[in-house]
Amino acid sequence: MKKTNVNTAIKLFLLISLSIVVGACAKDDKPDEGKTVITKTVDNSDFGKYLNKNFTEPYNISYLYRWEDIESDMNYALVPANYENSVKMANLVKYLCLDAYDAVAPNDFLKKYFPKMIMLVGSWAYRNNGTIVLGTAEGGLKITLYGMNELDTDFSDSNTLPKLYNYYFRTIFHEFSHILHQTTDYSNDFRTITGSDYIGDSWSNTENTLEDALKKGFISRYSRKETNEDFVELIAYYITYTDTEWNDALTKAGTEGAALINQKMEIVKSYMLQTWRVDLDALKKEINTRASNIQNVDLTKIN
């Protein structure tokens, strides 16, 4: 699960340069490889047919955009996602995630391991402690994305793509990466590189700034929670950062911090290539190339 401070979230929509705060992930993300999508009702709308063609048939993914109480979290006061943004998000997920992985991953990789359900919620899930939930993953089966009614697709604004990554796509890549390492674990060598600097739930304390995290060898504040979060955060940030953004982060990390991040990234890349036959550099390039052309993508198409 990923979360961010409410005040920070509001400011981020106005000023992307402020830091996003991320929070605890679900622990039970192992996939049930034999699980199939169970369709409760048939959606014969044009959008429903589009989803069947682009999500269900090729990947066995159910894309829930219409409100279903049984699938929603009753702990929060939530509202449905609006139709227009649901269509846009479907096209974005296909373009920036599914198609990008398909371009570099083995056949049926996504069909076998990607979560079988993507659920959209219009509002943020507000917690009593002043944070909001960005997304959750349940049992390797379902990813829920919140705040869909705040989706911004004005890509003439240079802040829009970073917000899209911060609020939605790093959540998707982060949670999917949990499924992979919980299916086949990574080398224990990774856990020893910055082992003494993991701080558990104290990652959210104000003294754990991004600058401090980088200098200690972590790509984000939340990476300091524990090794599994560190591992998946590296993947989520690496494939969504441009080369310039990644190098800027390494520069801010300083000589020691950059060396630690690079050491961990060697293990991450080797793991993804040897275990899953996914070249992270190729995936990063594919996502960055697609992102650079995103203004030319028709996000309203449903055919």
Side-chain angles (χ1 to χ4, degrees), residues 218-230:
F218 299 92
I219 197 61
S220 70
R221 294 177 64 214
Y222 185 48
S223 296
R224 294 193 67 189
K225 187 176 191 299
E226 50 96 11
T227 55
N228 289 336
E229 304 304 341
D230 188 12

Side-chain angles (χ1 to χ4, degrees), residues 156-295:
S156 63
D157 183 343
S158 61
N159 291 329
T160 299
L161 184 62
K163 287 190 292 185
L164 192 71
Y165 285 151
N166 280 333
Y167 285 113
Y168 308 110
F169 279 87
R170 287 200 186 109
T171 296
I172 295 173
F173 294 132
H174 177 113
E175 301 298 355
F176 181 31
S177 298
H178 271 313
I179 292 172
L180 297 180
H181 80 74
Q182 290 178 359
T183 302
T184 302
D185 203 6
Y186 50 86
S187 168
N188 198 52
D189 291 343
F190 181 93
R191 296 175 171 87
T192 66
I193 296 172
T194 50
S196 62
D197 283 316
Y198 293 108
I199 55 178
D201 289 338
S202 296
W203 72 268
S204 61
N205 293 348
T206 54
E207 57 266 27
N208 178 37
T209 64
L210 177 58
E211 180 183 5
D212 185 54
L214 286 167
K215 290 184 180 300
K216 291 182 180 297
F218 299 92
I219 197 61
S220 70
R221 294 177 64 214
Y222 185 48
S223 296
R224 294 193 67 189
K225 187 176 191 299
E226 50 96 11
T227 55
N228 289 336
E229 304 304 341
D230 188 12
F231 190 84
V232 300
E233 283 284 274
L234 281 167
I235 295 175
Y237 275 84
Y238 186 72
I239 63 179
T240 55
Y241 268 168
T242 63
D243 289 341
T244 298
E245 289 170 331
W246 184 259
N247 290 332
D248 283 347
L250 293 181
T251 298
K252 292 174 182 176
T255 303
E256 292 184 10
L260 293 171
I261 291 173
N262 284 331
Q263 190 177 351
K264 286 190 284 190
M265 276 306 305
E266 287 182 13
I267 294 175
V268 172
K269 289 182 180 181
S270 176
Y271 164 83
M272 289 298 294
L273 186 60
Q274 293 180 17
T275 305
W276 304 109
R277 291 190 290 153
V278 174
D279 184 332
L280 274 193
D281 288 320
L283 180 59
K284 174 186 177 71
K285 182 178 180 181
E286 183 70 25
I287 291 172
N288 274 257
T289 298
R290 289 173 175 275
S292 67
N293 187 53
I294 202 165
Q295 290 190 64

Side-chain angles (χ1 to χ4, degrees), residues 21-218:
V21 182
V22 291
C25 286
K27 295 289 187 181
D28 55 347
D29 296 334
K30 287 187 179 181
D32 181 349
E33 296 176 14
K35 193 74 175 180
T36 58
V37 172
I38 300 175
T39 304
K40 300 184 181 72
T41 58
V42 177
D43 185 351
N44 287 319
S45 68
D46 288 342
F47 186 34
K49 294 174 182 177
Y50 166 88
L51 293 174
N52 186 61
K53 176 183 177 182
N54 293 283
F55 285 75
T56 306
E57 288 182 359
Y59 306 112
N60 198 28
I61 297 171
S62 178
Y63 184 90
L64 302 184
Y65 68 98
R66 298 188 295 191
W67 189 257
E68 294 189 28
D69 282 340
I70 195 171
E71 295 293 350
S72 62
D73 192 330
M74 300 299 182
N75 293 314
Y76 305 105
L78 305 173
V79 302
N82 69 50
Y83 175 81
E84 291 77 11
N85 284 357
S86 297
V87 171
K88 291 177 181 178
M89 180 54 71
N91 280 292
L92 285 166
V93 169
K94 181 180 185 302
Y95 180 70
L96 281 177
C97 179
L98 302 179
D99 288 352
Y101 266 104
D102 260 351
V104 303
N107 292 337
D108 290 336
F109 173 71
L110 291 176
K111 187 172 186 178
K112 189 172 183 181
Y113 296 108
F114 198 83
K116 300 308 176 194
M117 186 180 296
I118 298 173
M119 180 178 178
L120 307 185
V121 176
S123 56
W124 301 110
Y126 291 89
R127 291 178 173 273
N128 292 331
N129 63 0
T131 63
I132 63 174
V133 178
L134 289 180
T136 60
E138 301 174 21
L141 175 65
K142 171 184 171 185
I143 288 180
T144 301
L145 298 175
Y146 296 90
M148 201 52 49
N149 294 346
E150 302 291 342
L151 178 66
D152 180 6
T153 56
D154 178 14
F155 293 106
S156 63
D157 183 343
S158 61
N159 291 329
T160 299
L161 184 62
K163 287 190 292 185
L164 192 71
Y165 285 151
N166 280 333
Y167 285 113
Y168 308 110
F169 279 87
R170 287 200 186 109
T171 296
I172 295 173
F173 294 132
H174 177 113
E175 301 298 355
F176 181 31
S177 298
H178 271 313
I179 292 172
L180 297 180
H181 80 74
Q182 290 178 359
T183 302
T184 302
D185 203 6
Y186 50 86
S187 168
N188 198 52
D189 291 343
F190 181 93
R191 296 175 171 87
T192 66
I193 296 172
T194 50
S196 62
D197 283 316
Y198 293 108
I199 55 178
D201 289 338
S202 296
W203 72 268
S204 61
N205 293 348
T206 54
E207 57 266 27
N208 178 37
T209 64
L210 177 58
E211 180 183 5
D212 185 54
L214 286 167
K215 290 184 180 300
K216 291 182 180 297
F218 299 92

